[in-house]
Amino acid sequence: MLVFSSVSGILKEISRLRSSNKSIGFVPTMGALHLGHASLIKQSVDENEITIVSVFVNPRQFNNPDDLLKYPRTESQDIALAEHYGASIVFLPEIEEVYSSDFIPPKISLGNLEHLMEGKMRPGHFDGVVQVLSRLFTIVQPNNAYFGLKDFQQVAVVRRLVEALNLPINIVACPIYREITGLAYSSRNQRLSDDQKEEALFIYRSLIKAKKMAQNHTPIEVMNEMIKDYQSSSLELEYFEIVHPKTLETLSDEWVDEAVACVVAYVGEVRLIDNMQIH
Ligand code: AMP
């Protein structure tokens, strides 16, 4: 496996791979790799000749400086995990290389995506996501790029980006990978104590309950019940929304097929995100 930290280094390798017509799968990450990331890497390895994993904690997508500061960094373990799951290349660029002086951020309208859920709660977050991915896509030039449905809204943003820039990249949405308990793997879980991990299970259980309730209640009834449940829990709920799978607009009285319940809640200081298709 090759490891690059310079853009010029990886570009040389990419042009070599491109000229020999190798298919490239790309898994962009912010590191602190876990089995959720591994599931994306494995899928890419199965579907492409070459898999490139990037590890870059993108400062431009953090609206909370403390969150950025506390974001776990485990570089050498990340390299080992990527290699173990069959990646061909790990790309660990420095900030100055990603946001070089000649980088011009693309201007893309995200429409409503910017104002709903993560867009509303984390101003500037998706703008940062768009910036980093447009840069990384230009460097890596993948055929397929792999994203976890754990960040459900991010997948919609990435699809919008690829469409707006007319990039020849196939976006592959991968299922949420959970611990046996139901807790979704997340780099932020490293910041939870054992007791807090136990508390965090409330999120998965709430999604399961919402799915059950969806059989004989309206979306608004389910959301209201969830809000009540969180009020009597130890978690602090940021939002619990049941949304249309394509537009991500909040549902109210009527169900649509493949409606998704999206939740963000804090366990202590740690912000956790999860979702489930409930209809
Ligand atoms: P991150 O390093 O948190 O930016 O995540 C990198 C990619 O891994 C994103 O596409 C995430 O959606 C995906 N991912 C993170 N956790 C999981 C998980 N538990 N299951 C599936 N994909 C995940």
Side-chain angles (χ1 to χ4, degrees), residues 178 182-184 192 197-210 226 230 235-237 240 262-267 270-276:
R178 300 180 181 281
L183 179 66
L192 300 174
K197 265 185 104 174
E198 193 62 38
E199 278 176 54
L201 286 180
F202 190 89
I203 297 174
Y204 178 67
R205 292 186 185 131
S206 72
L207 290 166
I208 295 286
K209 180 173 172 185
M226 292 304 125
Y230 274 87
L235 281 69
E236 193 189 321
L237 182 65
F240 193 109
C262 298
V263 56
V264 166
Y266 281 86
V267 176
V270 183
R271 185 179 191 270
L272 297 176
I273 186 166
D274 203 345
N275 69 80
M276 186 180 282

PDB file of all heavy atoms in Angstrom, residues 178 182-184 192 197-210 226 230 235-237 240 262-267 270-276:
ATOM      1  N   ARG A 178     -23.362  -0.906  12.336  1.00  0.00           N
ATOM      2  CA  ARG A 178     -23.631  -0.733  13.769  1.00  0.00           C
ATOM      3  C   ARG A 178     -22.904  -1.760  14.614  1.00  0.00           C
ATOM      4  O   ARG A 178     -22.625  -2.870  14.151  1.00  0.00           O
ATOM      5  CB  ARG A 178     -25.138  -0.887  14.040  1.00  0.00           C
ATOM      6  CG  ARG A 178     -25.987   0.120  13.310  1.00  0.00           C
ATOM      7  CD  ARG A 178     -27.479  -0.074  13.604  1.00  0.00           C
ATOM      8  NE  ARG A 178     -28.244   0.910  12.849  1.00  0.00           N
ATOM      9  CZ  ARG A 178     -28.386   2.177  13.208  1.00  0.00           C
ATOM     10  NH1 ARG A 178     -27.870   2.602  14.352  1.00  0.00           N
ATOM     11  NH2 ARG A 178     -29.062   3.018  12.458  1.00  0.00           N
ATOM     12  N   GLY A 182     -26.439  -2.048  18.422  1.00  0.00           N
ATOM     13  CA  GLY A 182     -27.238  -1.120  17.621  1.00  0.00           C
ATOM     14  C   GLY A 182     -26.587   0.242  17.501  1.00  0.00           C
ATOM     15  O   GLY A 182     -26.932   1.028  16.622  1.00  0.00           O
ATOM     16  N   LEU A 183     -25.627   0.546  18.370  1.00  0.00           N
ATOM     17  CA  LEU A 183     -24.959   1.856  18.301  1.00  0.00           C
ATOM     18  C   LEU A 183     -24.201   1.974  16.975  1.00  0.00           C
ATOM     19  O   LEU A 183     -23.411   1.098  16.619  1.00  0.00           O
ATOM     20  CB  LEU A 183     -23.973   1.986  19.478  1.00  0.00           C
ATOM     21  CG  LEU A 183     -23.171   3.294  19.537  1.00  0.00           C
ATOM     22  CD1 LEU A 183     -24.084   4.482  19.803  1.00  0.00           C
ATOM     23  CD2 LEU A 183     -22.088   3.204  20.608  1.00  0.00           C
ATOM     24  N   ALA A 184     -24.458   3.060  16.238  1.00  0.00           N
ATOM     25  CA  ALA A 184     -23.755   3.261  14.965  1.00  0.00           C
ATOM     26  C   ALA A 184     -22.291   3.586  15.253  1.00  0.00           C
ATOM     27  O   ALA A 184     -22.000   4.422  16.126  1.00  0.00           O
ATOM     28  CB  ALA A 184     -24.411   4.398  14.197  1.00  0.00           C
ATOM     29  N   LEU A 192     -16.640   8.766  24.206  1.00  0.00           N
ATOM     30  CA  LEU A 192     -17.654   8.356  25.183  1.00  0.00           C
ATOM     31  C   LEU A 192     -17.066   7.401  26.211  1.00  0.00           C
ATOM     32  O   LEU A 192     -16.288   6.510  25.858  1.00  0.00           O
ATOM     33  CB  LEU A 192     -18.812   7.647  24.471  1.00  0.00           C
ATOM     34  CG  LEU A 192     -19.591   8.426  23.409  1.00  0.00           C
ATOM     35  CD1 LEU A 192     -20.593   7.507  22.710  1.00  0.00           C
ATOM     36  CD2 LEU A 192     -20.306   9.616  24.045  1.00  0.00           C
ATOM     37  N   LYS A 197     -21.571   5.248  26.489  1.00  0.00           N
ATOM     38  CA  LYS A 197     -21.887   4.396  25.330  1.00  0.00           C
ATOM     39  C   LYS A 197     -23.215   3.685  25.554  1.00  0.00           C
ATOM     40  O   LYS A 197     -24.014   3.511  24.635  1.00  0.00           O
ATOM     41  CB  LYS A 197     -20.768   3.363  25.101  1.00  0.00           C
ATOM     42  CG  LYS A 197     -19.751   3.822  24.074  1.00  0.00           C
ATOM     43  CD  LYS A 197     -18.740   2.760  23.780  1.00  0.00           C
ATOM     44  CE  LYS A 197     -18.999   2.094  22.450  1.00  0.00           C
ATOM     45  NZ  LYS A 197     -17.948   1.137  22.078  1.00  0.00           N
ATOM     46  N   GLU A 198     -23.400   3.285  26.799  1.00  0.00           N
ATOM     47  CA  GLU A 198     -24.662   2.641  27.180  1.00  0.00           C
ATOM     48  C   GLU A 198     -25.823   3.632  26.994  1.00  0.00           C
ATOM     49  O   GLU A 198     -26.853   3.302  26.409  1.00  0.00           O
ATOM     50  CB  GLU A 198     -24.532   2.200  28.650  1.00  0.00           C
ATOM     51  CG  GLU A 198     -25.590   1.256  29.146  1.00  0.00           C
ATOM     52  CD  GLU A 198     -25.588  -0.072  28.405  1.00  0.00           C
ATOM     53  OE1 GLU A 198     -24.494  -0.594  28.064  1.00  0.00           O
ATOM     54  OE2 GLU A 198     -26.692  -0.560  28.148  1.00  0.00           O
ATOM     55  N   GLU A 199     -25.607   4.864  27.471  1.00  0.00           N
ATOM     56  CA  GLU A 199     -26.637   5.908  27.324  1.00  0.00           C
ATOM     57  C   GLU A 199     -26.954   6.164  25.855  1.00  0.00           C
ATOM     58  O   GLU A 199     -28.106   6.390  25.490  1.00  0.00           O
ATOM     59  CB  GLU A 199     -26.142   7.242  27.903  1.00  0.00           C
ATOM     60  CG  GLU A 199     -26.267   7.402  29.390  1.00  0.00           C
ATOM     61  CD  GLU A 199     -25.641   8.729  29.819  1.00  0.00           C
ATOM     62  OE1 GLU A 199     -26.034   9.766  29.270  1.00  0.00           O
ATOM     63  OE2 GLU A 199     -24.740   8.707  30.676  1.00  0.00           O
ATOM     64  N   ALA A 200     -25.902   6.129  25.029  1.00  0.00           N
ATOM     65  CA  ALA A 200     -26.065   6.448  23.600  1.00  0.00           C
ATOM     66  C   ALA A 200     -26.970   5.452  22.886  1.00  0.00           C
ATOM     67  O   ALA A 200     -27.518   5.752  21.818  1.00  0.00           O
ATOM     68  CB  ALA A 200     -24.704   6.508  22.920  1.00  0.00           C
ATOM     69  N   LEU A 201     -27.147   4.267  23.475  1.00  0.00           N
ATOM     70  CA  LEU A 201     -28.025   3.261  22.856  1.00  0.00           C
ATOM     71  C   LEU A 201     -29.462   3.745  22.757  1.00  0.00           C
ATOM     72  O   LEU A 201     -30.257   3.236  21.972  1.00  0.00           O
ATOM     73  CB  LEU A 201     -27.998   1.969  23.682  1.00  0.00           C
ATOM     74  CG  LEU A 201     -26.743   1.136  23.548  1.00  0.00           C
ATOM     75  CD1 LEU A 201     -26.843  -0.101  24.413  1.00  0.00           C
ATOM     76  CD2 LEU A 201     -26.582   0.744  22.087  1.00  0.00           C
ATOM     77  N   PHE A 202     -29.773   4.747  23.590  1.00  0.00           N
ATOM     78  CA  PHE A 202     -31.104   5.342  23.557  1.00  0.00           C
ATOM     79  C   PHE A 202     -31.464   5.774  22.129  1.00  0.00           C
ATOM     80  O   PHE A 202     -32.618   5.694  21.708  1.00  0.00           O
ATOM     81  CB  PHE A 202     -31.142   6.559  24.499  1.00  0.00           C
ATOM     82  CG  PHE A 202     -32.513   7.107  24.728  1.00  0.00           C
ATOM     83  CD1 PHE A 202     -33.316   6.634  25.756  1.00  0.00           C
ATOM     84  CD2 PHE A 202     -33.018   8.094  23.891  1.00  0.00           C
ATOM     85  CE1 PHE A 202     -34.592   7.137  25.941  1.00  0.00           C
ATOM     86  CE2 PHE A 202     -34.295   8.602  24.064  1.00  0.00           C
ATOM     87  CZ  PHE A 202     -35.086   8.123  25.099  1.00  0.00           C
ATOM     88  N   ILE A 203     -30.456   6.229  21.404  1.00  0.00           N
ATOM     89  CA  ILE A 203     -30.717   6.745  20.053  1.00  0.00           C
ATOM     90  C   ILE A 203     -31.230   5.630  19.138  1.00  0.00           C
ATOM     91  O   ILE A 203     -32.253   5.771  18.468  1.00  0.00           O
ATOM     92  CB  ILE A 203     -29.425   7.385  19.479  1.00  0.00           C
ATOM     93  CG1 ILE A 203     -29.020   8.584  20.338  1.00  0.00           C
ATOM     94  CG2 ILE A 203     -29.605   7.765  18.015  1.00  0.00           C
ATOM     95  CD1 ILE A 203     -27.687   9.199  19.954  1.00  0.00           C
ATOM     96  N   TYR A 204     -30.513   4.514  19.128  1.00  0.00           N
ATOM     97  CA  TYR A 204     -30.929   3.388  18.282  1.00  0.00           C
ATOM     98  C   TYR A 204     -32.314   2.905  18.704  1.00  0.00           C
ATOM     99  O   TYR A 204     -33.188   2.655  17.865  1.00  0.00           O
ATOM    100  CB  TYR A 204     -29.900   2.255  18.392  1.00  0.00           C
ATOM    101  CG  TYR A 204     -30.263   1.032  17.589  1.00  0.00           C
ATOM    102  CD1 TYR A 204     -30.291   1.074  16.201  1.00  0.00           C
ATOM    103  CD2 TYR A 204     -30.597  -0.171  18.226  1.00  0.00           C
ATOM    104  CE1 TYR A 204     -30.629  -0.041  15.461  1.00  0.00           C
ATOM    105  CE2 TYR A 204     -30.929  -1.296  17.494  1.00  0.00           C
ATOM    106  CZ  TYR A 204     -30.949  -1.229  16.112  1.00  0.00           C
ATOM    107  OH  TYR A 204     -31.279  -2.335  15.381  1.00  0.00           O
ATOM    108  N   ARG A 205     -32.510   2.826  20.038  1.00  0.00           N
ATOM    109  CA  ARG A 205     -33.803   2.333  20.529  1.00  0.00           C
ATOM    110  C   ARG A 205     -34.930   3.278  20.121  1.00  0.00           C
ATOM    111  O   ARG A 205     -36.037   2.838  19.813  1.00  0.00           O
ATOM    112  CB  ARG A 205     -33.749   2.161  22.054  1.00  0.00           C
ATOM    113  CG  ARG A 205     -32.814   1.017  22.435  1.00  0.00           C
ATOM    114  CD  ARG A 205     -32.842   0.723  23.919  1.00  0.00           C
ATOM    115  NE  ARG A 205     -31.834  -0.291  24.224  1.00  0.00           N
ATOM    116  CZ  ARG A 205     -30.942  -0.209  25.195  1.00  0.00           C
ATOM    117  NH1 ARG A 205     -30.920   0.865  25.988  1.00  0.00           N
ATOM    118  NH2 ARG A 205     -30.073  -1.175  25.391  1.00  0.00           N
ATOM    119  N   SER A 206     -34.640   4.572  20.112  1.00  0.00           N
ATOM    120  CA  SER A 206     -35.690   5.523  19.722  1.00  0.00           C
ATOM    121  C   SER A 206     -36.056   5.332  18.246  1.00  0.00           C
ATOM    122  O   SER A 206     -37.222   5.450  17.865  1.00  0.00           O
ATOM    123  CB  SER A 206     -35.258   6.968  20.010  1.00  0.00           C
ATOM    124  OG  SER A 206     -34.255   7.392  19.105  1.00  0.00           O
ATOM    125  N   LEU A 207     -35.061   5.026  17.428  1.00  0.00           N
ATOM    126  CA  LEU A 207     -35.331   4.813  16.003  1.00  0.00           C
ATOM    127  C   LEU A 207     -36.176   3.549  15.795  1.00  0.00           C
ATOM    128  O   LEU A 207     -37.096   3.524  14.969  1.00  0.00           O
ATOM    129  CB  LEU A 207     -34.014   4.731  15.223  1.00  0.00           C
ATOM    130  CG  LEU A 207     -33.254   6.058  15.112  1.00  0.00           C
ATOM    131  CD1 LEU A 207     -31.824   5.829  14.628  1.00  0.00           C
ATOM    132  CD2 LEU A 207     -33.983   7.029  14.180  1.00  0.00           C
ATOM    133  N   ILE A 208     -35.848   2.519  16.568  1.00  0.00           N
ATOM    134  CA  ILE A 208     -36.626   1.275  16.473  1.00  0.00           C
ATOM    135  C   ILE A 208     -38.069   1.530  16.907  1.00  0.00           C
ATOM    136  O   ILE A 208     -39.022   1.075  16.274  1.00  0.00           O
ATOM    137  CB  ILE A 208     -35.983   0.177  17.371  1.00  0.00           C
ATOM    138  CG1 ILE A 208     -34.595  -0.199  16.839  1.00  0.00           C
ATOM    139  CG2 ILE A 208     -36.890  -1.046  17.499  1.00  0.00           C
ATOM    140  CD1 ILE A 208     -34.611  -1.035  15.579  1.00  0.00           C
ATOM    141  N   LYS A 209     -38.206   2.283  17.996  1.00  0.00           N
ATOM    142  CA  LYS A 209     -39.568   2.589  18.479  1.00  0.00           C
ATOM    143  C   LYS A 209     -40.334   3.412  17.439  1.00  0.00           C
ATOM    144  O   LYS A 209     -41.514   3.161  17.176  1.00  0.00           O
ATOM    145  CB  LYS A 209     -39.478   3.349  19.805  1.00  0.00           C
ATOM    146  CG  LYS A 209     -40.836   3.704  20.378  1.00  0.00           C
ATOM    147  CD  LYS A 209     -40.762   4.305  21.761  1.00  0.00           C
ATOM    148  CE  LYS A 209     -42.142   4.821  22.195  1.00  0.00           C
ATOM    149  NZ  LYS A 209     -42.091   5.511  23.493  1.00  0.00           N
ATOM    150  N   ALA A 210     -39.636   4.373  16.830  1.00  0.00           N
ATOM    151  CA  ALA A 210     -40.284   5.206  15.809  1.00  0.00           C
ATOM    152  C   ALA A 210     -40.762   4.340  14.644  1.00  0.00           C
ATOM    153  O   ALA A 210     -41.856   4.538  14.096  1.00  0.00           O
ATOM    154  CB  ALA A 210     -39.311   6.280  15.322  1.00  0.00           C
ATOM    155  N   MET A 226     -41.341  11.048  20.188  1.00  0.00           N
ATOM    156  CA  MET A 226     -39.880  10.936  20.343  1.00  0.00           C
ATOM    157  C   MET A 226     -39.327  12.116  21.160  1.00  0.00           C
ATOM    158  O   MET A 226     -38.480  11.948  22.023  1.00  0.00           O
ATOM    159  CB  MET A 226     -39.185  10.905  18.967  1.00  0.00           C
ATOM    160  CG  MET A 226     -39.460   9.653  18.182  1.00  0.00           C
ATOM    161  SD  MET A 226     -38.990   8.193  19.119  1.00  0.00           S
ATOM    162  CE  MET A 226     -40.519   7.318  19.077  1.00  0.00           C
ATOM    163  N   TYR A 230     -37.203  11.830  24.618  1.00  0.00           N
ATOM    164  CA  TYR A 230     -35.859  12.389  24.840  1.00  0.00           C
ATOM    165  C   TYR A 230     -35.864  13.334  26.037  1.00  0.00           C
ATOM    166  O   TYR A 230     -34.868  13.425  26.764  1.00  0.00           O
ATOM    167  CB  TYR A 230     -35.343  13.096  23.580  1.00  0.00           C
ATOM    168  CG  TYR A 230     -34.658  12.139  22.623  1.00  0.00           C
ATOM    169  CD1 TYR A 230     -35.393  11.443  21.666  1.00  0.00           C
ATOM    170  CD2 TYR A 230     -33.285  11.904  22.693  1.00  0.00           C
ATOM    171  CE1 TYR A 230     -34.778  10.546  20.792  1.00  0.00           C
ATOM    172  CE2 TYR A 230     -32.664  11.015  21.814  1.00  0.00           C
ATOM    173  CZ  TYR A 230     -33.418  10.339  20.870  1.00  0.00           C
ATOM    174  OH  TYR A 230     -32.800   9.447  20.011  1.00  0.00           O
ATOM    175  N   LEU A 235     -30.179  12.231  27.496  1.00  0.00           N
ATOM    176  CA  LEU A 235     -29.594  12.829  26.295  1.00  0.00           C
ATOM    177  C   LEU A 235     -30.233  14.187  26.014  1.00  0.00           C
ATOM    178  O   LEU A 235     -31.386  14.424  26.377  1.00  0.00           O
ATOM    179  CB  LEU A 235     -29.832  11.928  25.077  1.00  0.00           C
ATOM    180  CG  LEU A 235     -28.912  10.724  24.921  1.00  0.00           C
ATOM    181  CD1 LEU A 235     -29.177   9.680  25.985  1.00  0.00           C
ATOM    182  CD2 LEU A 235     -29.068  10.107  23.545  1.00  0.00           C
ATOM    183  N   GLU A 236     -29.468  15.012  25.345  1.00  0.00           N
ATOM    184  CA  GLU A 236     -30.057  16.287  24.934  1.00  0.00           C
ATOM    185  C   GLU A 236     -30.336  16.211  23.433  1.00  0.00           C
ATOM    186  O   GLU A 236     -29.399  16.090  22.621  1.00  0.00           O
ATOM    187  CB  GLU A 236     -29.089  17.419  25.238  1.00  0.00           C
ATOM    188  CG  GLU A 236     -29.770  18.771  25.128  1.00  0.00           C
ATOM    189  CD  GLU A 236     -28.778  19.907  25.213  1.00  0.00           C
ATOM    190  OE1 GLU A 236     -27.822  19.798  26.022  1.00  0.00           O
ATOM    191  OE2 GLU A 236     -28.951  20.871  24.452  1.00  0.00           O
ATOM    192  N   LEU A 237     -31.623  16.257  23.101  1.00  0.00           N
ATOM    193  CA  LEU A 237     -32.020  16.114  21.694  1.00  0.00           C
ATOM    194  C   LEU A 237     -31.804  17.429  20.943  1.00  0.00           C
ATOM    195  O   LEU A 237     -32.213  18.481  21.413  1.00  0.00           O
ATOM    196  CB  LEU A 237     -33.496  15.717  21.624  1.00  0.00           C
ATOM    197  CG  LEU A 237     -34.068  15.478  20.227  1.00  0.00           C
ATOM    198  CD1 LEU A 237     -33.408  14.277  19.561  1.00  0.00           C
ATOM    199  CD2 LEU A 237     -35.577  15.287  20.290  1.00  0.00           C
ATOM    200  N   PHE A 240     -35.214  15.609  16.000  1.00  0.00           N
ATOM    201  CA  PHE A 240     -35.697  14.293  15.561  1.00  0.00           C
ATOM    202  C   PHE A 240     -36.692  14.582  14.455  1.00  0.00           C
ATOM    203  O   PHE A 240     -37.778  15.072  14.717  1.00  0.00           O
ATOM    204  CB  PHE A 240     -36.362  13.539  16.714  1.00  0.00           C
ATOM    205  CG  PHE A 240     -36.595  12.082  16.395  1.00  0.00           C
ATOM    206  CD1 PHE A 240     -35.849  11.091  17.017  1.00  0.00           C
ATOM    207  CD2 PHE A 240     -37.535  11.696  15.452  1.00  0.00           C
ATOM    208  CE1 PHE A 240     -36.039   9.749  16.695  1.00  0.00           C
ATOM    209  CE2 PHE A 240     -37.731  10.358  15.132  1.00  0.00           C
ATOM    210  CZ  PHE A 240     -36.986   9.391  15.759  1.00  0.00           C
ATOM    211  N   CYS A 262     -34.419  10.996  11.146  1.00  0.00           N
ATOM    212  CA  CYS A 262     -33.053  11.503  11.330  1.00  0.00           C
ATOM    213  C   CYS A 262     -32.951  12.115  12.715  1.00  0.00           C
ATOM    214  O   CYS A 262     -33.808  12.917  13.102  1.00  0.00           O
ATOM    215  CB  CYS A 262     -32.744  12.588  10.300  1.00  0.00           C
ATOM    216  SG  CYS A 262     -32.824  11.997   8.601  1.00  0.00           S
ATOM    217  N   VAL A 263     -31.910  11.748  13.433  1.00  0.00           N
ATOM    218  CA  VAL A 263     -31.792  12.237  14.803  1.00  0.00           C
ATOM    219  C   VAL A 263     -30.376  12.718  15.093  1.00  0.00           C
ATOM    220  O   VAL A 263     -29.405  12.146  14.598  1.00  0.00           O
ATOM    221  CB  VAL A 263     -32.234  11.130  15.812  1.00  0.00           C
ATOM    222  CG1 VAL A 263     -31.470   9.850  15.635  1.00  0.00           C
ATOM    223  CG2 VAL A 263     -32.108  11.594  17.251  1.00  0.00           C
ATOM    224  N   VAL A 264     -30.302  13.799  15.867  1.00  0.00           N
ATOM    225  CA  VAL A 264     -29.033  14.234  16.448  1.00  0.00           C
ATOM    226  C   VAL A 264     -29.267  14.473  17.928  1.00  0.00           C
ATOM    227  O   VAL A 264     -30.234  15.149  18.312  1.00  0.00           O
ATOM    228  CB  VAL A 264     -28.506  15.522  15.790  1.00  0.00           C
ATOM    229  CG1 VAL A 264     -27.378  16.130  16.624  1.00  0.00           C
ATOM    230  CG2 VAL A 264     -27.992  15.233  14.392  1.00  0.00           C
ATOM    231  N   ALA A 265     -28.411  13.887  18.751  1.00  0.00           N
ATOM    232  CA  ALA A 265     -28.543  14.090  20.197  1.00  0.00           C
ATOM    233  C   ALA A 265     -27.153  14.135  20.819  1.00  0.00           C
ATOM    234  O   ALA A 265     -26.204  13.549  20.287  1.00  0.00           O
ATOM    235  CB  ALA A 265     -29.365  12.964  20.807  1.00  0.00           C
ATOM    236  N   TYR A 266     -27.079  14.860  21.917  1.00  0.00           N
ATOM    237  CA  TYR A 266     -25.819  14.943  22.651  1.00  0.00           C
ATOM    238  C   TYR A 266     -25.820  13.962  23.813  1.00  0.00           C
ATOM    239  O   TYR A 266     -26.778  13.893  24.574  1.00  0.00           O
ATOM    240  CB  TYR A 266     -25.638  16.345  23.237  1.00  0.00           C
ATOM    241  CG  TYR A 266     -25.161  17.365  22.243  1.00  0.00           C
ATOM    242  CD1 TYR A 266     -26.062  18.044  21.436  1.00  0.00           C
ATOM    243  CD2 TYR A 266     -23.809  17.655  22.124  1.00  0.00           C
ATOM    244  CE1 TYR A 266     -25.621  18.986  20.511  1.00  0.00           C
ATOM    245  CE2 TYR A 266     -23.363  18.605  21.206  1.00  0.00           C
ATOM    246  CZ  TYR A 266     -24.276  19.261  20.406  1.00  0.00           C
ATOM    247  OH  TYR A 266     -23.833  20.194  19.499  1.00  0.00           O
ATOM    248  N   VAL A 267     -24.722  13.224  23.921  1.00  0.00           N
ATOM    249  CA  VAL A 267     -24.466  12.451  25.132  1.00  0.00           C
ATOM    250  C   VAL A 267     -23.307  13.181  25.795  1.00  0.00           C
ATOM    251  O   VAL A 267     -22.195  13.196  25.251  1.00  0.00           O
ATOM    252  CB  VAL A 267     -24.070  10.994  24.802  1.00  0.00           C
ATOM    253  CG1 VAL A 267     -23.721  10.242  26.079  1.00  0.00           C
ATOM    254  CG2 VAL A 267     -25.197  10.304  24.056  1.00  0.00           C
ATOM    255  N   VAL A 270     -20.764  15.131  23.561  1.00  0.00           N
ATOM    256  CA  VAL A 270     -20.518  14.491  22.265  1.00  0.00           C
ATOM    257  C   VAL A 270     -21.788  14.478  21.418  1.00  0.00           C
ATOM    258  O   VAL A 270     -22.831  13.959  21.844  1.00  0.00           O
ATOM    259  CB  VAL A 270     -19.970  13.054  22.463  1.00  0.00           C
ATOM    260  CG1 VAL A 270     -19.640  12.415  21.128  1.00  0.00           C
ATOM    261  CG2 VAL A 270     -18.746  13.077  23.370  1.00  0.00           C
ATOM    262  N   ARG A 271     -21.651  15.036  20.231  1.00  0.00           N
ATOM    263  CA  ARG A 271     -22.805  15.144  19.330  1.00  0.00           C
ATOM    264  C   ARG A 271     -22.873  13.900  18.445  1.00  0.00           C
ATOM    265  O   ARG A 271     -21.953  13.620  17.677  1.00  0.00           O
ATOM    266  CB  ARG A 271     -22.634  16.398  18.463  1.00  0.00           C
ATOM    267  CG  ARG A 271     -23.807  16.722  17.564  1.00  0.00           C
ATOM    268  CD  ARG A 271     -23.508  17.998  16.787  1.00  0.00           C
ATOM    269  NE  ARG A 271     -24.691  18.512  16.087  1.00  0.00           N
ATOM    270  CZ  ARG A 271     -25.026  18.177  14.858  1.00  0.00           C
ATOM    271  NH1 ARG A 271     -24.281  17.335  14.170  1.00  0.00           N
ATOM    272  NH2 ARG A 271     -26.110  18.691  14.299  1.00  0.00           N
ATOM    273  N   LEU A 272     -23.966  13.148  18.552  1.00  0.00           N
ATOM    274  CA  LEU A 272     -24.095  11.906  17.776  1.00  0.00           C
ATOM    275  C   LEU A 272     -25.231  12.031  16.763  1.00  0.00           C
ATOM    276  O   LEU A 272     -26.270  12.625  17.052  1.00  0.00           O
ATOM    277  CB  LEU A 272     -24.367  10.734  18.721  1.00  0.00           C
ATOM    278  CG  LEU A 272     -23.248  10.433  19.730  1.00  0.00           C
ATOM    279  CD1 LEU A 272     -23.680   9.318  20.678  1.00  0.00           C
ATOM    280  CD2 LEU A 272     -21.948  10.053  19.030  1.00  0.00           C
ATOM    281  N   ILE A 273     -24.998  11.453  15.599  1.00  0.00           N
ATOM    282  CA  ILE A 273     -25.999  11.520  14.518  1.00  0.00           C
ATOM    283  C   ILE A 273     -26.354  10.101  14.086  1.00  0.00           C
ATOM    284  O   ILE A 273     -25.495   9.212  14.075  1.00  0.00           O
ATOM    285  CB  ILE A 273     -25.444  12.354  13.324  1.00  0.00           C
ATOM    286  CG1 ILE A 273     -26.514  12.572  12.259  1.00  0.00           C
ATOM    287  CG2 ILE A 273     -24.200  11.725  12.713  1.00  0.00           C
ATOM    288  CD1 ILE A 273     -26.142  13.650  11.236  1.00  0.00           C
ATOM    289  N   ASP A 274     -27.638   9.903  13.769  1.00  0.00           N
ATOM    290  CA  ASP A 274     -28.060   8.569  13.343  1.00  0.00           C
ATOM    291  C   ASP A 274     -29.350   8.727  12.534  1.00  0.00           C
ATOM    292  O   ASP A 274     -29.967   9.794  12.533  1.00  0.00           O
ATOM    293  CB  ASP A 274     -28.292   7.674  14.573  1.00  0.00           C
ATOM    294  CG  ASP A 274     -28.177   6.193  14.248  1.00  0.00           C
ATOM    295  OD1 ASP A 274     -28.200   5.832  13.054  1.00  0.00           O
ATOM    296  OD2 ASP A 274     -28.094   5.376  15.199  1.00  0.00           O
ATOM    297  N   ASN A 275     -29.750   7.683  11.850  1.00  0.00           N
ATOM    298  CA  ASN A 275     -31.014   7.708  11.116  1.00  0.00           C
ATOM    299  C   ASN A 275     -31.433   6.295  10.774  1.00  0.00           C
ATOM    300  O   ASN A 275     -30.626   5.357  10.887  1.00  0.00           O
ATOM    301  CB  ASN A 275     -30.894   8.571   9.852  1.00  0.00           C
ATOM    302  CG  ASN A 275     -29.998   7.928   8.814  1.00  0.00           C
ATOM    303  OD1 ASN A 275     -30.406   7.032   8.077  1.00  0.00           O
ATOM    304  ND2 ASN A 275     -28.741   8.352   8.753  1.00  0.00           N
ATOM    305  N   MET A 276     -32.688   6.171  10.367  1.00  0.00           N
ATOM    306  CA  MET A 276     -33.198   4.843   9.968  1.00  0.00           C
ATOM    307  C   MET A 276     -34.374   5.037   9.026  1.00  0.00           C
ATOM    308  O   MET A 276     -35.191   5.941   9.243  1.00  0.00           O
ATOM    309  CB  MET A 276     -33.652   4.083  11.216  1.00  0.00           C
ATOM    310  CG  MET A 276     -34.052   2.664  10.982  1.00  0.00           C
ATOM    311  SD  MET A 276     -34.570   1.869  12.526  1.00  0.00           S
ATOM    312  CE  MET A 276     -33.014   1.518  13.301  1.00  0.00           C
TER     313      MET A 276
END
